[in-house]
């Protein structure tokens, strides 16, 4: 292993926020309560901002971009698929972001890298709110939109793993999943704020019917993107106040950093990398089916079997009402993962997800579906999502050693986003138009079966010390 300790921090394994306590033959860090609160706030606020930016785009990809950023087409499904293609572009950028930010996260530290990832995605989001439309500049509009979307993905590629490590590496072993669940709450929080913002705009600007004219489509849709600037400022203020994690500081002091984390990752941890990618696969597929695809299906044409014809305003209300189930299940899943184990929690979630995949036609068949059935479908899906997503910020980092943990967990998380999320809305839209909504459930079952195999092969890591991995 090529090591680099020339820039090591002072030879003191214990930072000011952590106290080393000797329990027999095992030394462990005890993190003070003030630091715990600060880390929880920083990891949650940061990922909330990142996911807010991501969801603002996802919502606009269904309701705004097909009309304003692409040439008019007789078949609206073509423009929707084109919009989903730009949506998926960010997922291609995310593994690149995990390599870029992972390199610096494993080389110079978690704190500085997290600030860089936040700025990358935040600036791209603000710029989307300033872009000209297809009617103004022609083909340049979707090209610029795609570029900004790529930058969004680049930033998010480095955000999640850094936030997960910030929380997990500042936690005691027996509470790590509960501590690491804080950045996971950024997903429902960001989704709620993003969609809530759109819901308010739709109501205030009289866009309830989803028409292509009026204030909302002229300028109102830009406001959620521009408002990201305020959230970025808050996130930066919180993150600049943080210290480096004790686990990373110890690795630096012991000279365990490597010159090329990516090279070291493939040299020592290829197996865990593949395993982690497939463990995360069904989580991503489920998430983007019940957030992005379901919006296009919910407001789609019932007469053509392409949707449920629920007004856009009503459907946003349904989504916002059910995101609460997602948020509630995340801390529950963190507690289960600490007490019952990571593996057992994921096995339960996978079994429930297989059953859920068989229920699509029951709740979403255009001939029988109602707002009530859609609400139940979303509530169940969001609950399972919380159960399977909550402990991931502990599970994936635990599979990798400290000197490649940022890079390894980030690549696994984001490669699974390509396999599980980037193509999910596209495949689901095609399946509905060609075969019906029940086949979307079959698609979810197949993906879940792959994850189930990966989960069954994983070891239980709840008692592992991250400093010794």
């Amino acid at each position: 292993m090529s090591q680099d300790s020339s820039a090591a921090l002072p030879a003191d394994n214990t930072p000011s926020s952590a106290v080393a306590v000797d329990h027999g033959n095992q030394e462990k860090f005890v993190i003070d309560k003030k630091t715990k609160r600060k880390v929880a706030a920083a990891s949650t606020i940061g990922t909330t901002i990142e996911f807010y930016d991501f969801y603002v785009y996802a919502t606009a990809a269904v309701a705004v971009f097909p009309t304003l950023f692409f040439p008019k087409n007789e078949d609206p499904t073509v423009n929707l698929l084109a919009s989903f293609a730009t949506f998926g572009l960010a997922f291609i950028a995310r593994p690149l972001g995990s390599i870029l930010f992972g390199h610096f996260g494993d080389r110079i530290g978690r704190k500085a890298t997290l600030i860089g990832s936040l700025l990358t995605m935040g600036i791209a989001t603000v710029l989307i709110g300033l872009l000209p439309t297809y009617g103004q500049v022609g083909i340049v509009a979707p090209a610029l939109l795609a570029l900004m979307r790529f930058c969004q993905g680049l930033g998010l590629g480095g955000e999640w793993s850094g936030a997960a490590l910030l929380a997990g590496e500042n936690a005691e072993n027996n509470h790590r999943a509960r501590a690491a669940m804080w950045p996971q709450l950024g997903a429902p929080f960001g989704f709620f704020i993003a969609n809530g913002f759109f819901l308010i705009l739709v109501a205030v600007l009289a866009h309830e019917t989803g028409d292509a004219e009026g204030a909302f489509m002229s300028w109102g849709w830009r406001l959620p993107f521009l408002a990201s600037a305020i959230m970025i400022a808050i996130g930066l203020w919180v993150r600049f106040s943080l210290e480096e994690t004790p686990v990373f500081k110890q690795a630096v002091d012991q000279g365990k950093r490597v010159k090329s984390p990516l090279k070291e990752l493939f040299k020592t941890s290829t197996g865990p990398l593949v395993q982690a990618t497939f463990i995360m696969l069904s989580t991503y597929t489920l998430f983007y089916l019940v957030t992005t695809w379901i919006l296009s299906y919910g407001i789609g044409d019932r007469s053509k079997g392409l949707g449920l014809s629920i007004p856009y305003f009503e459907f946003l209300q349904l989504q916002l009402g059910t995101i609460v189930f997602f948020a509630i299940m995340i801390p529950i899943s963190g507690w289960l993962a600490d007490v019952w184990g990571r593996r057992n929690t994921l096995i339960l979630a996978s079994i429930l997800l297989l059953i859920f995949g068989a229920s699509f036609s029951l709740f979403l068949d255009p001939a029988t579906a109602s707002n009530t059935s859609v609400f139940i479908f979303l509530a169940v899906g969001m609950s399972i999502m919380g159960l399977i997503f909550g402990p991931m910020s502990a599970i994936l980092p635990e599979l990798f050693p400290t000197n490649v943990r940022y890079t390894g967990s980030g690549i696994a998380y984001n490669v699974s986003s390509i396999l599980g999320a980037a193509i999910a809305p596209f495949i689901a839209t095609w399946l509905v138009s060609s075969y019906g909504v029940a086949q979307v459930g079959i698609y979810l079952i197949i993906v879940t079966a792959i994850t189930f195999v990966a989960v069954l092969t994983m070891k239980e890591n709840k008692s592992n010390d991250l400093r010794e991995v």
Side-chain angles (χ1 to χ4, degrees):
M1 180 187 300
S2 60
Q3 297 180 346
D4 174 23
S5 58
S6 58
L9 298 173
D12 177 7
N13 291 355
T14 309
S16 59
S17 60
V19 178
V21 180
D22 187 10
H23 289 266
N25 295 324
Q26 183 180 9
E27 180 187 68
K28 68 176 183 177
F29 286 126
V30 178
I31 313 298
D32 65 78
K33 292 183 178 180
K34 181 180 179 181
T35 299
K36 287 181 180 179
R37 290 194 294 267
K38 187 184 295 184
V39 167
S43 58
T44 306
I45 290 174
T47 52
T48 297
I49 295 169
E50 298 283 355
F51 280 105
Y52 165 85
D53 290 353
F54 217 64
Y55 297 148
V56 162
Y57 190 101
T59 303
V62 172
V64 177
F65 297 151
T67 302
L68 297 183
F69 281 83
F70 297 94
K72 292 184 178 180
N73 195 294
E74 293 183 1
D75 185 357
T77 303
V78 174
N79 276 10
L80 178 61
L81 291 175
S83 183
F84 276 153
T86 63
F87 175 76
L89 184 62
F91 292 96
I92 298 175
R94 286 171 67 163
L96 299 177
S98 63
I99 293 172
L100 173 64
F101 289 106
H103 176 84
F104 292 107
D106 285 326
R107 288 283 300 139
I108 67 174
R110 303 356 183 172
K111 174 184 173 178
T113 306
L114 276 169
I115 291 171
S117 66
L118 180 64
L119 281 172
T120 301
M121 186 166 183
I123 292 173
T125 303
V126 172
L127 290 177
I128 290 175
L130 300 172
L131 290 180
T133 64
Y134 184 86
Q136 294 171 320
V137 296
I139 197 67
V140 175
L144 290 174
L145 182 65
L147 177 61
M148 292 302 101
R149 182 60 174 167
F150 185 88
C151 292
Q152 275 192 317
L154 205 65
L156 187 56
E159 167 62 26
W160 178 87
S161 52
L165 267 58
L166 177 67
E169 290 185 348
N170 273 295
E172 292 89 352
N173 295 337
N174 58 343
H175 287 83
R176 191 162 55 241
R178 276 167 281 189
M181 69 88 190
W182 285 107
Q184 303 303 80
L185 282 173
F189 289 173
F191 183 92
F192 187 86
I193 296 171
N195 275 25
F197 203 152
F198 269 104
L199 184 66
I200 293 171
L201 287 173
V202 166
V204 172
L205 300 180
H207 187 69
E208 291 94 337
T209 57
D211 62 279
E213 305 293 336
F216 178 80
M217 294 298 283
S218 296
W219 56 267
W221 67 269
R222 298 179 183 273
L223 296 181
F225 292 95
L226 298 176
S228 181
I230 300 173
M231 301 181 69
I232 294 168
I234 297 173
L236 289 175
W237 175 71
V238 173
R239 288 190 170 178
F240 270 117
S241 68
L242 293 174
E243 296 181 12
E244 190 52 77
T245 71
V247 173
F248 181 78
K249 280 191 173 185
Q250 177 173 288
V252 171
D253 292 341
Q254 295 178 351
K256 291 182 179 179
R257 286 188 302 180
V258 292
K259 292 181 179 179
S260 176
L262 182 63
K263 180 179 178 180
E264 184 70 16
L265 174 69
F266 283 102
K267 178 181 177 181
T268 63
S269 305
T270 304
L273 182 64
V274 174
Q275 184 181 49
T277 300
F278 287 113
I279 286 173
M280 190 69 196
L281 184 63
S282 65
T283 307
Y284 261 123
T285 304
L286 170 65
F287 191 44
Y288 283 88
L289 287 181
V290 297
T291 56
T292 303
W293 165 76
I294 193 64
L295 177 59
S296 65
Y297 181 76
I299 65 178
D301 193 339
R302 183 188 292 264
S303 65
K304 296 181 180 179
L306 299 176
L308 305 176
S309 296
I310 299 174
Y312 178 57
F313 185 73
E314 289 185 22
F315 201 87
L316 282 180
Q317 290 177 305
L318 290 175
Q319 281 196 309
L320 284 176
T322 56
I323 200 71
V324 175
F325 294 92
F326 183 15
I328 290 174
M329 288 304 298
I330 286 177
I332 292 175
S333 67
W335 178 82
L336 283 174
D338 274 335
V339 175
W340 195 29
R342 281 70 158 136
R343 190 170 179 271
N344 289 336
T345 301
L346 291 187
I347 287 175
L348 172 62
S350 297
I351 292 173
L352 294 175
L353 194 50
L354 290 171
I355 298 172
F356 179 68
S359 72
F360 275 53
S361 60
L362 176 65
F363 293 107
L364 300 179
D365 190 321
T368 58
S370 64
N371 283 20
T372 300
S373 70
V374 172
F375 181 87
I376 295 173
F377 173 85
L378 289 172
V380 174
M382 291 292 186
S383 296
I384 299 174
M385 182 62 207
L387 182 63
I388 198 170
F389 184 65
M392 285 298 178
S393 53
I395 291 171
L396 299 192
E398 288 170 349
L399 296 174
F400 302 96
T402 302
N403 57 5
V404 296
R405 185 170 293 137
Y406 203 126
T407 304
S409 60
I411 291 177
Y413 182 84
N414 290 297
V415 169
S416 68
S417 77
I418 295 179
L419 302 176
I423 60 176
F426 192 95
I427 290 178
T429 300
W430 172 74
L431 286 173
V432 169
S433 62
S434 302
Y435 303 103
V437 71
Q439 299 306 310
V440 180
I442 300 300
Y443 165 54
L444 179 59
I445 288 174
I446 293 172
V447 171
T448 302
I450 296 172
T451 288
F452 203 4
V453 173
V455 170
L456 291 175
T457 63
M458 70 177 284
K459 296 180 180 179
E460 181 54 63
N461 294 316
K462 72 172 186 172
S463 299
N464 286 359
D465 189 329
L466 289 182
R467 294 170 295 155
E468 299 174 357
V469 176

